[in-house]
């Protein structure tokens, strides 16, 4: 039983009620009372406050039976919007979403610089432009959540981004001063894992999500919580050393996993072997279908290198679900079987290995979801944007 002062209990009840309204889509006051265990008076007061705040709305349910139509409650998705931003190495992606995670507007811009101040000004300008598009919403654009491909501390400061060579940057404060909007900074792999939980794997409490594009990052969810470590830097598995004295990495070590098992590494190897630039996913799919010997060999090595890292991670975390977020894996026939054939250790235990359906959009989707969760002040969030 939760105890505490009245304001704290009221806040917990509000959070619980909002979570259940989102989870069920539409729900009556009576069913809210049954599901939450809260009495009808408490439900009535909380619902009245949420209606006054325009965070929920009520509507009559259509039915064909005689009698009074029940009144259902739903989230007012148009009360506010949130902005998800993914700052990658060569591009920046923005997605503006409503309070149910449905994208309203998305843009991707090429990034031709790593200069911190130039990128700061660029992102601030774009945030302001998106802010202006939300003026008709009651609460406007309530926050911007930014995905960083590097180490982010628990205070949301950036410790290091290898690709841009940023060290000890306070992007959160710098952007808030320029835009006046609440900004949150999070590691991209954490947001990718959060997106999987929010949009796909709603009832999984132990999930690992491995993002495999320009580098490799690991989002860790254990017992329903994102694991960040002492400083907040947990999950940098791309810099796990799998080949001592191997290739030199920008992190300062040699033989890091992402130099052998990221999409960037695969495309780099194929470009050198085939003397061809601008290789696409479709190219790889075509070459594999034709059983091109060079490409087939490179893919075999790629799978082997992925498997080395997976073995290590499984032994470390004993996960229920492992999600691999990589577009190229969708183009490799029988990839799950190929990977699992290399995971033969009797001590490595997990339940399922899957390829993400969310793809590269997962990062900004996770950013938007975190913005929604923070704004509504709820402890858990499940969304469905498939319809």
């Amino acid at each position: 039983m939760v105890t505490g002062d009245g304001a704290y209990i009221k806040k917990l009840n509000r959070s619980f009620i909002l979570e259940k309204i989102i989870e069920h889509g539409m729900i009556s006051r009576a069913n809210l009372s049954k599901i939450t265990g809260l009495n009808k008076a408490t439900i009535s007061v909380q619902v009245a406050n949420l209606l006054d705040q325009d965070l929920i709305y009520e509507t009559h349910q259509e039915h064909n039976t005689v009698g009074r139509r029940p009144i259902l409650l739903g989230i007012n998705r148009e009360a506010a919007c949130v902005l998800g931003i993914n700052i990658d190495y060569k591009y920046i992606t923005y997605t503006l979403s409503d309070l149910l995670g449905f994208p309203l507007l998305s843009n991707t811009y090429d990034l031709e610089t790593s200069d911190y101040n130039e990128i700061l000004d660029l992102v601030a300008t774009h945030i302001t432009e998106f802010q202006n598009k939300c003026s008709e919403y009651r609460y406007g654009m309530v926050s911007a959540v930014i995905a960083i491909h590097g180490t982010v501390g628990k205070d949301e400061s950036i410790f290091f981004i290898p690709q841009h060579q940023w060290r000890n940057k306070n992007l959160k404060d710098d952007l808030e001063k320029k835009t006046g909007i609440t900004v949150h900074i999070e590691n991209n792999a954490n947001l990718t894992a959060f997106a999987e939980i929010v949009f796909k794997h709603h009832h999984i409490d132990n999930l690992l999500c491995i993002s495999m594009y320009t580098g490799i990052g690991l989002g860790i969810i254990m017992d329903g919580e994102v694991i960040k470590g002492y400083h907040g830097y947990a999950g940098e598995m791309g810099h796990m050393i799998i080949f001592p004295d191997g290739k030199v990495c920008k992190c300062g070590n040699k033989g890091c996993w992402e130099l052998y098992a990221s999409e960037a590494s695969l495309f780099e190897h194929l470009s050198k072997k085939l003397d061809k630039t601008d290789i696409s996913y479709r190219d790889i799919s075509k070459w594999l279908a034709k059983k091109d010997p060079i490409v087939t060999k490179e893919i075999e090595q790629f799978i082997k290198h992925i498997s080395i890292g997976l073995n290590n991670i499984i032994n470390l975390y004993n996960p229920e679900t492992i999600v691999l977020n990589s577009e190229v894996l969708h183009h490799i026939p029988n990839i799950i079987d190929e990977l699992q054939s290399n995971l033969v250790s009797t001590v490595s235990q997990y339940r399922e290995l899957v390829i993400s359906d969310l793809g590269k959009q997962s990062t900004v989707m996770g950013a938007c979801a975190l913005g929604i969760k923070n704004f509504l002040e709820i402890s858990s969030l499940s969304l469905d944007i498939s319809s």
Side-chain angles (χ1 to χ4, degrees):
M1 180 178 179
V2 177
T3 60
D5 61 43
Y8 176 66
I9 296 298
K10 184 177 180 181
K11 185 176 180 180
L12 285 180
N13 290 340
R14 175 187 182 277
S15 172
F16 198 21
I17 288 169
L18 279 172
E19 287 171 18
K20 294 305 175 184
I21 293 175
I22 294 172
E23 180 182 340
H24 290 270
M26 302 294 295
I27 189 170
S28 67
R29 289 170 173 81
N31 282 337
L32 263 180
S33 181
K34 291 177 184 177
I35 291 169
T36 62
L38 300 172
N39 62 51
K40 292 182 179 179
T42 298
I43 294 291
S44 180
V45 170
Q46 288 281 355
V47 165
N49 288 335
L50 292 170
L51 286 168
D52 285 343
Q53 295 166 8
D54 277 344
L55 292 177
I56 64 173
Y57 69 98
E58 54 185 3
T59 185
H60 286 283
Q61 181 182 31
E62 295 293 335
H63 70 144
N64 298 319
T65 59
V66 177
R68 187 175 177 180
R69 291 186 298 169
I71 296 175
L72 300 182
L73 304 169
I75 292 293
N76 178 13
R77 59 201 288 177
E78 298 179 353
C81 48
V82 296
L83 183 63
I85 305 174
N86 179 21
I87 301 180
D88 207 336
Y89 181 41
K90 293 293 185 180
Y91 60 86
I92 304 178
T93 300
Y94 300 84
T95 292
L96 188 72
S97 87
D98 63 23
L99 287 184
L100 288 180
F102 284 84
L104 305 171
L105 182 65
S106 293
N107 285 323
T108 297
Y109 299 91
D110 291 335
L111 193 57
E112 298 177 352
T113 180
S114 285
D115 183 82
Y116 176 77
N117 290 317
E118 288 183 36
I119 294 177
L120 170 65
D121 289 340
L122 180 66
V123 173
T125 298
H126 289 156
I127 286 175
T128 301
E129 290 172 356
F130 279 101
Q131 237 178 329
N132 293 336
K133 296 179 186 296
C134 302
S135 58
E136 295 183 2
Y137 291 74
R138 170 165 176 175
Y139 296 98
M141 193 175 86
V142 292
S143 71
V145 179
I146 302 177
I148 295 298
H149 294 241
T151 46
V152 177
K154 288 183 176 178
D155 61 355
E156 300 185 55
S157 63
I158 296 170
F159 177 67
F160 182 48
I161 300 180
Q163 297 285 5
H164 290 299
Q165 289 295 297
W166 290 0
R167 297 178 187 273
N168 301 315
K169 300 295 184 182
N170 197 331
L171 184 62
K172 173 182 170 66
D173 285 357
D174 291 342
L175 281 174
E176 287 183 343
K177 289 173 185 176
K178 283 181 172 288
T179 65
I181 195 169
T182 299
V183 174
H184 294 287
I185 309 294
E186 183 56 272
N187 170 265
N188 70 300
N190 288 343
L191 290 174
T192 299
F194 187 59
E196 293 292 339
I197 290 291
V198 170
F199 294 100
K200 289 289 181 179
H201 303 277
H202 302 307
H203 304 296
I204 302 297
D205 288 331
N206 294 278
L207 177 143
L208 301 179
C209 184
I210 303 170
S211 182
M212 303 172 62
Y213 295 99
T214 53
I216 293 181
L218 176 67
I220 310 162
I221 295 178
M222 290 286 143
D223 298 323
E225 299 292 331
V226 177
I227 303 300
K228 296 188 176 184
Y230 178 59
H231 291 103
Y233 307 153
E236 289 297 322
M237 299 304 288
H239 299 286
M240 166 178 58
I241 297 171
I242 65 169
F243 290 113
D245 300 319
K247 299 175 185 177
V248 177
C249 182
K250 289 184 178 181
C251 77
N253 279 325
K254 295 179 181 179
C256 292
W257 189 31
E258 68 179 38
L259 299 180
Y260 302 88
S262 66
E263 286 195 359
S265 70
L266 175 64
F267 282 104
E268 181 183 352
H269 295 160
L270 287 173
S271 292
K272 289 179 179 178
K273 293 283 186 179
L274 300 171
D275 192 24
K276 176 180 171 59
T277 58
D278 299 324
I279 293 173
S280 68
Y281 296 117
R282 184 174 296 180
D283 289 332
I284 292 175
S285 184
K286 179 182 65 177
W287 290 329
L288 286 175
K290 292 181 177 179
K291 300 188 186 306
D292 181 285
I294 295 175
V295 176
T296 300
K297 184 176 180 180
E298 284 297 322
I299 292 295
E300 288 174 355
Q301 282 295 106
F302 183 58
I303 292 171
K304 179 181 178 181
H305 295 153
I306 293 172
S307 302
I308 293 171
L310 283 179
N311 269 301
N312 293 339
I313 291 169
I314 291 167
N315 286 334
L316 280 170
Y317 293 105
N318 179 216
E320 179 178 358
T321 298
I322 308 165
V323 181
L324 300 177
N325 193 304
S326 163
E327 178 65 26
V328 77
L329 294 185
H330 284 286
H331 296 268
I332 302 175
N334 305 314
I335 182 59
I336 294 298
D337 291 340
E338 292 285 344
L339 288 169
Q340 288 179 328
S341 68
N342 292 324
L343 305 178
V344 296
S345 170
T346 56
V347 298
S348 295
Q349 299 296 318
Y350 65 98
R351 187 175 70 83
E352 63 175 347
L353 176 66
V354 298
I355 310 299
S356 174
D357 293 327
L358 302 181
K360 291 182 179 179
Q361 289 301 309
S362 63
T363 307
V364 285
M365 290 172 69
C368 289
L370 184 59
I372 294 167
K373 179 175 177 288
N374 290 340
F375 172 65
L376 295 177
E377 298 180 295
I378 55 181
S379 59
S380 65
L381 180 65
S382 294
L383 298 173
D384 182 3
I385 61 172
S386 58
S387 58

